[in-house]
Structures are given as C-alpha cells and as structure tokens.
C-alpha cells in the first residue's frame, strides 16, 4: 500500500529528528502532500493512526482527523483572483490556457455554457478550485483541469471531492457523455489521480507540448512532453452499435471499449460511398506548434484532401498533427489505411462524442518519440506498448514504468 510506505517514512524521519534534538515525545505531526501525489487521504490517516503507536516517540501524538468540512459553489467574481494566483504560483506563465491569468476573463469563461467550475470553501475561506470544459474537437466530452488546492488543505482528498461536484453538475444537466483528463507522463501522479477517479486509459498524445508550456514542480521537461488520456463514461446509454475499424485496431479497440463497458460491433470491412466527397477542416496553435485535422466525412477523395491539409499545417512549421476520424462512418477503414500510408499512426479512441466514436491518429515532423523517457503507470502500460508498436518511426526501447 502506497500510504503505508509514506507513513513508515514519516515515522522514521520523525524519530530521527527527535533523537537529534533529544526529544522524548512529539505531540503532533503536520504533513503536506500534493493533490496529485496519488496518496488517498483516508487511507493515509488510517495508516498513521496505526503506525504512530509502534514507536514510543510518536505513540502519544494526536490522532489524525478526517473531519474537515467543505462547502462548494460555482466560481464567484471574488474567487477568480485567488484561482489565478494559485495557478500562477504552480505554473508561472506556462499554463496552456491564457485565460487563467486574467481574473475577469476567467470568471466569464468558467461561467459560460461550455464550462463549469467548482470552488471549495472551509469556514468561508478559499480552499480549492477545479474546472471542467467541453472539448471543441470532441463535442460531448468534458476535460477537467485548472486544479488549485490551498496548501492548508492538501492531503484532504479535496480534488476528488471537487471533481465529484463537477460530475454531479454534468449528470444533472446531461451536458456530457464523458469526462477525460490529459495526464502528464513526466511523473505518475496525475495518471494515478485519473485512475482513482474511476477513469481508464484510452490513448496518448505523444510529443505534444514544447518545453516552455505547462511547466510545474512535477512537469518540468527539456523536450516536447507526452500525455496520457484517461476517460470516464458518464452517459448511461450502453446500447450496441456498429463501428468501422481496420483489423489492426480490432483487439486494441475492443480492450478500450471493454474497460468502459460499452457494447460495440466492430466491423473490419467497409468503404466510403462512391458519390461521397471528403469534408475536413484544420486548425493550428502557434504557441504549441500543434495542428489538428477534423474529418467530418470520408469520401473517395480522402487521400488528396488529407495531403492538402497536412501540407498546409506543415507550412505553419507545426511539429505535431492530430487527425480525428469518425469511426461510425464506413469509410473510416479506408481512411485509416490512407492516413497510415501518409505517416500517421493510431494513438487514442474516444467513444460517445456527440458525433459518434472517434479515433485519433498523429503525425510528427522532424522528431521521434523518446518512449524510454515517458513514465507510464501499470494500468496504462499495456495500451502504451501496443500503440508504441504502431509508430512507424519508433525507437526500440522500454518505457519507464512505476
């Protein structure tokens, strides 16, 4: 148990400090643990209340308490500055959403129709914040982030409590079919947070952000950093439906669907209609050197259309392109084949968007993925290894697992 190991280390350190200072007993111990550490607050308390009795120097310390009361509300104007400061203190000016640095704009953003925020209070004092927002490229899927927990309340399981409030809102309003998080692979903590919140790994975005974006205590990186996708289905609609996937992805997709308890009839044969033209659009984010291509409909001209959009993004000096393909479309199989021929490879699957199930493929320009640098938790390791084998430019080495 992770919490028990932490407790043993704390007792050992406390005992050493007591001996160094010739202290016979200690009345209380205060421990600060970050929200993304993966430590479960209630389990840590149980371990401490057991372990403290095993050493004479700690046996009379006060038992840890679980009784911290929080109230929750949607962000009000007076909260916005505290949230902005909290994010700045952790990320400086590297957070990937610029709106967080302007309290008035932040307040308007999190109170819009496509965003929701939760502020936690203890005795009317600000304790923490988290926001969820709908993804433009995956309508119906909401991502959580902008997480801030005041230092006085870390280790209290507050992030999970705030996320539960956000999920309650999404379930009550019916706005979301699923929730996801984009978890850093420079450390295991945010991946573990996703798992503890009932999410499962459904893909990755590799070599995503440059080294000067999204830099914090745990996410420092010298090169472009990779992230894992973790997904939790909120929709109760689990009716069977047909999707179209290349046979190369059958087992991989079946595993992802199984984790989400979704019934899908995976067809490995299908083609675009002869009279159908491809519908696509692309976007580019200069700060990230990142582009995306959305395929609205697959036609017989897919190869030409994909090439045109890819070249347009390459001219923008993009480093990474993500390609979104709707697999409810029978043409998805031929689209996958053609995209693969043009250097794209599968990296993620998202079920239940408003448009249907979507696979994501990506293409890198002038770089390869240093797979050995990425930290992958056991719950995501099998999927990671399978996706790694699909990369046409992969370097044969082992990922660091923890």
């Amino acid at each position: 148990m992770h919490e028990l190991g932490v407790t043993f280390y704390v007792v050992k350190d406390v005992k050493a400090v007591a001996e160094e200072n010739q202290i016979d007993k200690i009345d209380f111990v205060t421990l600060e643990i970050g929200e993304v550490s993966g430590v479960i607050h209630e389990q840590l308390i149980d371990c401490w209340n057991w372990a403290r009795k095993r050493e004479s120097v700690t046996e009379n310390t006060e038992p840890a308490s679980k009784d911290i009361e929080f109230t929750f509300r949607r962000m009000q104007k007076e909260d916005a500055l505290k949230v902005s400061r909290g994010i700045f203190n952790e990320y400086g000016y590297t957070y990937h959403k610029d709106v967080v640095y302007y309290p008035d704009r932040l307040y308007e953003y999190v109170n819009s129709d496509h965003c929701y925020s939760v502020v936690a209070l203890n005795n009317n004092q600000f304790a923490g914040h988290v926001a969820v927002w709908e993804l433009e490229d995956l309508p119906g899927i909401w991502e959580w982030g902008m997480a801030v927990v005041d230092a006085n309340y870390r280790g209290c399981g507050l992030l999970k409590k705030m996320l539960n409030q956000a999920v309650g809102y999404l379930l009550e309003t019916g706005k979301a079919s699923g929730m996801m998080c984009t978890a850093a692979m420079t450390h295991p903590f945010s991946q573990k947070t996703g798992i503890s919140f009932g999410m499962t790994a459904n893909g990755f975005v590799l070599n995503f952000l440059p080294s000067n974006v999204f830099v914090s205590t745990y996410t420092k990186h010298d090169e472009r950093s990779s992230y894992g996708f973790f997904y939790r289905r909120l929709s109760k609609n689990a009716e069977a439906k047909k999707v179209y996937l290349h046979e190369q992805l059958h087992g991989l997709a079946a595993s992802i669907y199984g984790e989400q308890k979704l019934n899908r009839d995976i067809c490995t044969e299908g083609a675009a209609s002869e009279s159908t033209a491809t519908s696509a659009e692309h976007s580019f984010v200069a700060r990230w050197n990142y582009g995306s291509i959305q395929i609205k409909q697959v036609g017989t001209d897919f190869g030409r259309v994909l090439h045109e959009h890819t070249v347009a993004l390459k001219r923008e000096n993009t480093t990474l392109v993500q390609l979104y393909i709707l697999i409810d479309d029978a043409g998805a199989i031929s689209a996958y084949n053609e995209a693969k021929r043009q250097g794209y490879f599968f990296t993620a699957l998202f079920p239940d968007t408003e448009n249907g199930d979507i696979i994501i493929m990506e293409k890198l320009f002038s770089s390869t993925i240093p797979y050995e640098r990425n930290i992958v938790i056991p719950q995501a390791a099998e999927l990671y290894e399978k996706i790694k084998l699909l990369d046409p430019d992969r370097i044969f080495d082992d990922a660091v697992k923890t």
Side-chain angles (χ1 to χ4, degrees), residues 20 61 68 72 82 86-87 91 99 113 122 128 155 160 170-171 192 231 238 240 251 274 296 348:
E20 181 180 343
T61 57
I68 298 179
F72 303 94
K82 296 173 184 176
I87 292 175
Y91 295 98
V99 69
D113 289 340
N122 173 244
K160 189 172 181 179
L170 293 175
L171 290 174
K192 290 180 178 180
Y231 179 76
E274 297 253 349
K296 307 295 185 180

Side-chain angles (χ1 to χ4, degrees), residues 44-252:
L44 182 64
I45 286 175
D46 291 338
C47 290
W48 170 255
N49 287 337
W50 170 79
R52 68 186 177 86
K53 300 175 184 178
R54 297 172 62 86
E55 296 288 346
S56 59
V57 72
T58 58
E59 64 180 345
N60 294 315
T61 57
E62 295 180 5
S65 172
K66 300 180 184 179
D67 300 328
I68 298 179
E69 295 292 332
F70 295 105
T71 56
F72 303 94
R73 71 184 185 203
R74 194 165 189 172
M75 181 190 286
Q76 297 182 4
K77 282 190 175 181
E78 61 265 30
D79 302 322
L81 179 59
K82 296 173 184 176
V83 174
S84 290
R85 283 177 175 168
I87 292 175
F88 175 79
N89 288 340
E90 181 63 26
Y91 295 98
Y93 284 115
T94 71
Y95 196 78
H96 63 293
K97 283 184 173 291
D98 291 341
V99 69
V100 301
Y101 300 112
Y102 305 92
D104 290 341
R105 287 170 52 190
L106 176 61
Y107 171 75
E108 292 179 4
Y109 176 74
V110 299
N111 283 279
S112 65
D113 289 340
H114 299 283
C115 190
Y116 183 77
S117 73
V118 176
V119 169
L121 304 170
N122 173 244
N123 294 325
N124 292 320
Q125 296 297 312
F126 177 84
H129 171 268
V130 75
V132 291
W133 57 87
E134 188 173 20
L135 295 168
E136 187 175 347
D137 289 336
L138 298 167
I141 308 297
W142 289 53
E143 181 176 9
W144 67 262
M146 300 187 197
V148 177
V149 176
D150 185 274
N152 294 316
Y153 303 100
R154 291 177 181 171
C156 296
L158 183 54
L159 176 57
K160 189 172 181 179
K161 292 173 183 178
M162 292 189 294
L163 286 172
N164 282 330
Q165 294 289 320
V167 167
Y169 166 80
L170 293 175
L171 290 174
E172 181 181 349
T173 59
K175 286 187 171 183
S177 55
M179 178 185 277
M180 63 87 69
C181 71
T182 305
M185 296 174 71
T186 52
H187 61 79
F189 307 129
S190 53
Q191 298 174 57
K192 290 180 178 180
T193 299
I195 294 295
S196 71
F197 193 60
M199 295 178 164
T200 59
N202 66 306
F204 303 89
V205 53
L206 303 167
N207 280 23
F208 179 37
L209 293 178
S211 59
N212 62 348
V213 177
F214 207 62
V215 180
S216 72
T217 305
Y218 296 106
T219 58
K220 293 177 181 177
H221 42 92
D222 298 327
E223 303 174 11
R224 295 186 73 90
S225 57
S226 298
Y227 294 80
F229 291 139
F230 290 80
Y231 179 76
R232 174 177 168 180
R233 184 167 61 92
L234 299 181
S235 172
K236 294 183 179 179
N237 180 13
E239 294 181 4
K241 76 169 187 176
K242 185 178 292 187
V243 294
Y244 297 88
L245 281 167
H246 190 278
E247 60 184 1
Q248 186 178 40
L249 302 180
H250 186 284
L252 196 154

